[in-house]
Amino acid sequence: AQRVTQPEKLLSVFKGAPVELKCNYSYSGSPELFWYVQYSRQRLQLLLRHISRESIKGFTADLNKGETSFHLKKPFAQEEDSAMYYCALHSWGKLQFGAGTQVVVTP
Amino acid sequence: NAGVTQTPKFQVLKTGQSMTLQCAQDMNHNSMYWYRQDPGMGLRLIYYSASEGTTDKGEVPNGYNVSRLNKREFSLRLESAAPSQTSVYFCASSEGLSYNSPLHFGNGTRLTVT
């Protein structure tokens, strides 16, 4: 069965420090993976998708099929990065989300 | 454009009461979804509608019913609310079921069942 695991419930980092949010998945086919973000008092929204190989707001995520991971990284965290981040796996027309990681960036 | 609009924003129910959560989108999207968000469990899919006229169960459908009233509207009904249904409910829509169609979410409905 497919599964998305985000092992960290809370990640607290200092402004300017690197941040990495872990996401591991289990899926029998070729995975389509995404990161969604929910800022305080805002709607949940798409941050980035692995197929685009893009960098959004300084964040990147690389799909590692060998390690079945899709970790989200940013070299220098900013206070505005404080939010709830969800890793999600697309399967049979539906998105399956991980439990989420709350990121707190302190000055 | 409002995007995805959910009503109400907050609701308190007593065990056994019924209610309907409303969702409407103005993006001409084909697919719509209902998720619930619980601490430590992320978002779990309750029901979804791939297109107007179709609905399918998601991961946690028990205790819920849905209606795809038209292309714009997708409602979620709790026939007999239980404390386990205390949660934040999110409606979402997308152009279709393809992975190339990102989900657009509403602001959520915070439901408390006492």
Side-chain angles (χ1 to χ4, degrees):
Chain A
Q2 52 262 28
R3 180 176 293 177
V4 179
T5 303
Q6 292 180 252
E8 303 133 334
K9 288 184 179 180
L10 174 66
L11 212 52
S12 185
V13 299
F14 287 107
K15 178 182 175 181
V19 60
E20 181 180 38
L21 288 74
K22 291 184 168 48
C23 174
N24 290 90
Y25 67 91
S26 62
Y27 187 61
S28 57
S30 185
E32 302 296 342
L33 288 152
F34 305 82
W35 279 98
Y36 277 76
V37 61
Q38 187 173 25
Y39 301 103
S40 179
R41 296 190 186 87
Q42 292 188 28
R43 304 174 186 221
L44 191 64
Q45 58 188 286
L46 176 66
L47 179 62
L48 55 79
R49 63 190 89 180
H50 95 269
I51 198 165
S52 300
R53 294 184 167 273
E54 57 201 347
S55 174
I56 302 292
K57 300 183 178 182
F59 284 98
T60 59
D62 291 319
L63 176 62
N64 186 321
K65 291 185 178 181
E67 296 183 359
T68 61
S69 68
F70 187 56
H71 302 330
L72 184 68
K73 303 176 185 179
K74 184 169 182 176
F76 308 103
Q78 303 299 314
E79 289 180 68
E80 55 266 28
D81 297 327
S82 295
M84 189 73 166
Y85 292 80
Y86 290 98
C87 183
L89 169 70
H90 186 272
S91 170
W92 294 98
K94 297 164 286 185
L95 268 187
Q96 182 170 351
F97 288 85
T101 298
Q102 181 73 48
V103 172
V104 177
V105 182
T106 52
Chain B
N1 285 347
V4 178
T5 304
Q6 291 183 235
T7 55
K9 292 184 179 180
F10 302 94
Q11 185 70 49
V12 179
L13 292 178
K14 294 185 177 179
T15 299
Q17 287 185 318
S18 62
M19 79 161 294
T20 300
L21 281 65
Q22 306 288 351
C23 175
Q25 52 91 9
D26 62 4
M27 295 173 283
N28 201 34
H29 283 171
N30 290 307
S31 304
M32 297 185 74
Y33 313 79
W34 276 105
Y35 283 89
R36 58 177 290 174
Q37 181 188 45
D38 301 290
M41 306 192 75
L43 282 84
R44 292 179 293 169
L45 183 63
I46 305 171
Y47 271 93
Y48 69 104
S49 170
S51 61
E52 185 179 357
T54 68
T55 60
D56 284 288
K57 296 178 180 179
E59 185 183 352
V60 289
N62 291 346
Y64 306 95
N65 284 302
V66 290
S67 295
R68 184 73 184 267
L69 304 170
N70 48 55
K71 192 171 186 179
R72 289 187 64 248
E73 299 171 287
F74 188 41
S75 62
L76 178 72
R77 183 161 178 82
L78 287 71
E79 289 292 351
S80 179
S84 60
Q85 294 177 305
T86 293
S87 186
V88 181
Y89 291 85
F90 287 98
C91 178
S93 70
S94 65
E95 288 185 5
L97 296 184
S98 164
Y99 64 84
N100 280 321
S101 301
L103 266 60
H104 297 258
F105 284 86
N107 279 323
T109 295
R110 187 173 294 273
L111 175 67
T112 302
V113 183
T114 60

